[in-house]
Amino acid sequence: MPFPLLPVGRRRFVGAAACAMVAAGLPAAARAQTPIQIATLLPTRTPAFARAAAALLAGVEAARRGSDQPIELLQFEIGAEPAAALDGLRRAGEAAVQVVLGPLTRSAVQALAEAGPPALPVIALAPLDGEAPRNLWPLGLSLDADARQIARVALAEARATAPTATPTAAIIASAPALFRRAAQAFAGEFRAGGGEIALTVDWAPGREPVLGKAVLQTAASCVFLALDRAGAAAQRPFCGRLAAFATAQIDDGRDAAGQQDLDGVRFVEVPWRVQPDQSALAAFARPEPALGAPELERLYALGIDALRVAVEIARGHDGFALDGATGLLTAAGGRIERRGAIATLRDGVLGLDAPA
C-alpha cells in the first residue's frame, strides 16, 4: 500500500484481514463520547484503483485524526464492479455503522442509486448522473461541475466588462470523453445564464492556428479550453487577448516555472492545492511523503471532506456548510453543493486568482 495508515486511534478492518485497534491519545472528554461508526467501501486491492483509493483513505484518516469527535472506521475492501458496492453496503448495514463512505467509481454509485434509497446514509465518492435517492449524498469531484462553475465566472466577468452586450463564448475541445462532457457542461451553464456559444470546435495537434483564427473571427469575449495542459499551452497563444478558461486538467503537477503560455487561464481547483495556508484546514496533516500527483492530492482532500460530511450527517444534521479541502460545501435537502477555488497560473506556477 503506497500510503499506509498508521495505527492511531480506533479502527476496525473488515475484509481479507480483520483487526481491532483501541483508542489511544484522546483527551478524557473525547474518550467519554460514544465513537461515531463510519464504514468505507473502497477498491483498495483493485490494481486500477488502488492508488486512488489509498490516497482517499489517507485523507479520511487525516480528518479522523484532526476531529474533536472519536470515530471508529470500518474499512470494507470491495472490488470496483457495481455488484461489489451493493454487497459492501449490505455488510456495512449488518455491522450497524452510522454512515458509509463510498463507493469510488461512477458505475458503482449509479448502481447504488438505481437500487433505491439505501437503509443508511451513504456519502458517494463519485459523481452521479441524475437525481440521488434519499440517503445517498454524492460528493465526488466532477470536471463537469467545475466547468459549470467556471462558466458562471465567465458570464459574470463578461457582464461586468460589457453590461449591455450578450455574453458570448467559444469552446475548443479535444476528443476524450471527460473533455467532451466538460465542454457540454460549460456550454449548458453559459446558455442557462443568458450567454451564447458562438463556436464549438474540435481540437487536434497542428490545428492551433486555424482554430485560433476561427475563434477570433467570432464575437466571443472568452474561450473555454477543454484540453489537457499540452493542448491548452499549444492553443492559448493563438487565441489573442481573449479571456481564457479551462479545467484543472491543465495543472498536471509538472514543474513549469517560467513558462507563460497558460498565464492568466483560470480554472476551478481544490483549496487544498491552491490555498495551503487556509486556516480552516490547519487541523489536517499533509501527507508524508507527498503524493506527487495532483489527482491524488485532490482525492486526499476529498477524503478529508467526506469524513467531515459523514460526521455532520451522523450527528443528525441535514443542512450545514463546511469550509472544505475541496471547496465550500453546502448541504441541504439531501444534496451537497461544492464550490471550488478559482486558480490560475503565473509564470507556470499555480496560484489563487479570486474567490469563486
Side-chain angles (χ1 to χ4, degrees), residues 2 7 14 44 77 98 125 147 172 187 189 196 235 269 289 326 341-342 345:
V14 184
T44 52
E77 297 168 349
Q98 293 164 266
L125 302 173
I172 302 176
E189 190 71 17
E196 295 179 355
Q235 183 64 60
E269 182 58 282
T326 61
I342 304 304
L345 297 170

mmCIF file of all heavy atoms in Angstrom, residues 2 7 14 44 77 98 125 147 172 187 189 196 235 269 289 326 341-342 345:
data_model
loop_
_atom_site.group_PDB
_atom_site.id
_atom_site.type_symbol
_atom_site.label_atom_id
_atom_site.label_comp_id
_atom_site.label_asym_id
_atom_site.label_seq_id
_atom_site.Cartn_x
_atom_site.Cartn_y
_atom_site.Cartn_z
ATOM 1 N N PRO A 2 0.790 2.093 -0.999
ATOM 2 C CA PRO A 2 1.696 3.228 -1.099
ATOM 3 C C PRO A 2 1.512 4.274 -0.021
ATOM 4 O O PRO A 2 2.414 5.017 0.268
ATOM 5 C CB PRO A 2 1.379 3.806 -2.485
ATOM 6 C CG PRO A 2 0.146 3.162 -2.954
ATOM 7 C CD PRO A 2 -0.101 1.955 -2.137
ATOM 8 N N PRO A 7 -1.341 3.123 12.928
ATOM 9 C CA PRO A 7 -2.215 2.623 13.983
ATOM 10 C C PRO A 7 -2.464 3.659 15.059
ATOM 11 O O PRO A 7 -2.012 3.539 16.190
ATOM 12 C CB PRO A 7 -1.435 1.416 14.511
ATOM 13 C CG PRO A 7 -0.008 1.759 14.287
ATOM 14 C CD PRO A 7 0.008 2.528 12.992
ATOM 15 N N VAL A 14 -12.455 -4.619 7.946
ATOM 16 C CA VAL A 14 -13.349 -5.709 7.618
ATOM 17 C C VAL A 14 -13.056 -6.110 6.192
ATOM 18 O O VAL A 14 -13.198 -5.333 5.266
ATOM 19 C CB VAL A 14 -14.822 -5.275 7.756
ATOM 20 C CG1 VAL A 14 -15.736 -6.453 7.497
ATOM 21 C CG2 VAL A 14 -15.067 -4.709 9.144
ATOM 22 N N THR A 44 -9.514 -0.961 -2.583
ATOM 23 C CA THR A 44 -8.111 -0.779 -2.210
ATOM 24 C C THR A 44 -7.189 -1.835 -2.804
ATOM 25 O O THR A 44 -5.971 -1.633 -2.837
ATOM 26 C CB THR A 44 -7.965 -0.784 -0.685
ATOM 27 O OG1 THR A 44 -8.607 -1.946 -0.146
ATOM 28 C CG2 THR A 44 -8.607 0.454 -0.068
ATOM 29 N N GLU A 77 -13.053 -3.776 2.134
ATOM 30 C CA GLU A 77 -12.361 -3.877 0.852
ATOM 31 C C GLU A 77 -13.333 -4.472 -0.163
ATOM 32 O O GLU A 77 -13.837 -5.581 0.018
ATOM 33 C CB GLU A 77 -11.131 -4.762 0.991
ATOM 34 C CG GLU A 77 -10.085 -4.210 1.951
ATOM 35 C CD GLU A 77 -9.024 -5.235 2.300
ATOM 36 O OE1 GLU A 77 -9.213 -6.424 1.962
ATOM 37 O OE2 GLU A 77 -8.036 -4.848 2.923
ATOM 38 N N GLN A 98 -23.056 3.983 11.188
ATOM 39 C CA GLN A 98 -23.977 5.114 11.074
ATOM 40 C C GLN A 98 -23.963 5.758 9.696
ATOM 41 O O GLN A 98 -24.977 6.255 9.221
ATOM 42 C CB GLN A 98 -23.640 6.154 12.149
ATOM 43 C CG GLN A 98 -23.918 5.666 13.559
ATOM 44 C CD GLN A 98 -23.236 6.530 14.594
ATOM 45 O OE1 GLN A 98 -22.130 6.225 15.035
ATOM 46 N NE2 GLN A 98 -23.878 7.616 14.996
ATOM 47 N N LEU A 125 -18.576 8.765 -3.426
ATOM 48 C CA LEU A 125 -17.307 9.440 -3.704
ATOM 49 C C LEU A 125 -17.044 9.574 -5.207
ATOM 50 O O LEU A 125 -15.897 9.732 -5.627
ATOM 51 C CB LEU A 125 -16.165 8.703 -3.012
ATOM 52 C CG LEU A 125 -16.342 8.599 -1.481
ATOM 53 C CD1 LEU A 125 -15.266 7.719 -0.879
ATOM 54 C CD2 LEU A 125 -16.344 9.973 -0.839
ATOM 55 N N ALA A 147 -16.637 22.771 -14.650
ATOM 56 C CA ALA A 147 -16.862 23.522 -15.891
ATOM 57 C C ALA A 147 -18.077 24.440 -15.757
ATOM 58 O O ALA A 147 -18.077 25.577 -16.247
ATOM 59 C CB ALA A 147 -17.057 22.553 -17.065
ATOM 60 N N ILE A 172 -13.151 25.234 -27.392
ATOM 61 C CA ILE A 172 -12.244 24.347 -28.119
ATOM 62 C C ILE A 172 -12.068 23.103 -27.266
ATOM 63 O O ILE A 172 -11.608 23.180 -26.115
ATOM 64 C CB ILE A 172 -10.886 25.017 -28.379
ATOM 65 C CG1 ILE A 172 -11.071 26.312 -29.175
ATOM 66 C CG2 ILE A 172 -9.947 24.062 -29.121
ATOM 67 C CD1 ILE A 172 -9.782 27.092 -29.391
ATOM 68 N N ALA A 187 -21.027 24.804 -21.854
ATOM 69 C CA ALA A 187 -21.973 25.390 -22.802
ATOM 70 C C ALA A 187 -23.375 25.463 -22.197
ATOM 71 O O ALA A 187 -24.068 26.486 -22.324
ATOM 72 C CB ALA A 187 -21.994 24.578 -24.091
ATOM 73 N N GLU A 189 -24.301 25.586 -19.021
ATOM 74 C CA GLU A 189 -24.396 26.583 -17.949
ATOM 75 C C GLU A 189 -24.313 27.996 -18.511
ATOM 76 O O GLU A 189 -25.015 28.903 -18.036
ATOM 77 C CB GLU A 189 -23.281 26.356 -16.935
ATOM 78 C CG GLU A 189 -23.413 27.160 -15.659
ATOM 79 C CD GLU A 189 -24.545 26.684 -14.769
ATOM 80 O OE1 GLU A 189 -25.028 25.550 -14.970
ATOM 81 O OE2 GLU A 189 -24.943 27.440 -13.864
ATOM 82 N N GLU A 196 -24.357 33.157 -24.980
ATOM 83 C CA GLU A 196 -24.411 32.441 -26.250
ATOM 84 C C GLU A 196 -23.073 31.786 -26.528
ATOM 85 O O GLU A 196 -22.021 32.324 -26.166
ATOM 86 C CB GLU A 196 -24.759 33.404 -27.396
ATOM 87 C CG GLU A 196 -26.142 34.014 -27.300
ATOM 88 C CD GLU A 196 -26.425 34.971 -28.453
ATOM 89 O OE1 GLU A 196 -25.491 35.210 -29.266
ATOM 90 O OE2 GLU A 196 -27.560 35.477 -28.539
ATOM 91 N N GLN A 235 -2.562 25.831 -27.765
ATOM 92 C CA GLN A 235 -3.658 26.587 -28.366
ATOM 93 C C GLN A 235 -3.745 28.016 -27.859
ATOM 94 O O GLN A 235 -4.084 28.939 -28.618
ATOM 95 C CB GLN A 235 -4.988 25.872 -28.093
ATOM 96 C CG GLN A 235 -6.193 26.527 -28.733
ATOM 97 C CD GLN A 235 -6.107 26.498 -30.254
ATOM 98 O OE1 GLN A 235 -6.033 25.442 -30.865
ATOM 99 N NE2 GLN A 235 -6.116 27.677 -30.882
ATOM 100 N N GLU A 269 -10.070 24.765 -8.897
ATOM 101 C CA GLU A 269 -9.148 23.846 -8.237
ATOM 102 C C GLU A 269 -9.580 23.677 -6.783
ATOM 103 O O GLU A 269 -10.311 24.514 -6.236
ATOM 104 C CB GLU A 269 -7.710 24.390 -8.319
ATOM 105 C CG GLU A 269 -6.637 23.515 -7.710
ATOM 106 C CD GLU A 269 -6.551 22.120 -8.315
ATOM 107 O OE1 GLU A 269 -7.414 21.287 -7.938
ATOM 108 O OE2 GLU A 269 -5.640 21.856 -9.114
ATOM 109 N N PRO A 289 5.101 10.557 2.814
ATOM 110 C CA PRO A 289 5.643 11.522 1.857
ATOM 111 C C PRO A 289 4.533 12.127 0.999
ATOM 112 O O PRO A 289 3.407 11.636 0.992
ATOM 113 C CB PRO A 289 6.596 10.678 1.017
ATOM 114 C CG PRO A 289 5.988 9.309 1.048
ATOM 115 C CD PRO A 289 5.406 9.162 2.432
ATOM 116 N N THR A 326 -11.914 20.538 -0.479
ATOM 117 C CA THR A 326 -12.230 20.544 -1.905
ATOM 118 C C THR A 326 -13.027 21.768 -2.317
ATOM 119 O O THR A 326 -13.313 21.958 -3.504
ATOM 120 C CB THR A 326 -13.036 19.287 -2.298
ATOM 121 O OG1 THR A 326 -14.276 19.276 -1.576
ATOM 122 C CG2 THR A 326 -12.247 18.026 -1.991
ATOM 123 N N ALA A 341 -12.135 26.715 -5.474
ATOM 124 C CA ALA A 341 -11.392 27.968 -5.597
ATOM 125 C C ALA A 341 -11.092 28.235 -7.074
ATOM 126 O O ALA A 341 -10.957 27.300 -7.870
ATOM 127 C CB ALA A 341 -10.096 27.888 -4.799
ATOM 128 N N ILE A 342 -10.989 29.508 -7.443
ATOM 129 C CA ILE A 342 -10.606 29.865 -8.808
ATOM 130 C C ILE A 342 -9.098 30.058 -8.833
ATOM 131 O O ILE A 342 -8.555 30.920 -8.146
ATOM 132 C CB ILE A 342 -11.325 31.144 -9.281
ATOM 133 C CG1 ILE A 342 -12.837 30.972 -9.154
ATOM 134 C CG2 ILE A 342 -10.943 31.448 -10.726
ATOM 135 C CD1 ILE A 342 -13.403 29.779 -9.895
ATOM 136 N N LEU A 345 -2.479 30.242 -13.400
ATOM 137 C CA LEU A 345 -1.032 30.016 -13.451
ATOM 138 C C LEU A 345 -0.347 31.345 -13.743
ATOM 139 O O LEU A 345 -0.804 32.109 -14.597
ATOM 140 C CB LEU A 345 -0.676 28.991 -14.532
ATOM 141 C CG LEU A 345 -1.253 27.583 -14.327
ATOM 142 C CD1 LEU A 345 -1.050 26.728 -15.572
ATOM 143 C CD2 LEU A 345 -0.593 26.895 -13.129
#
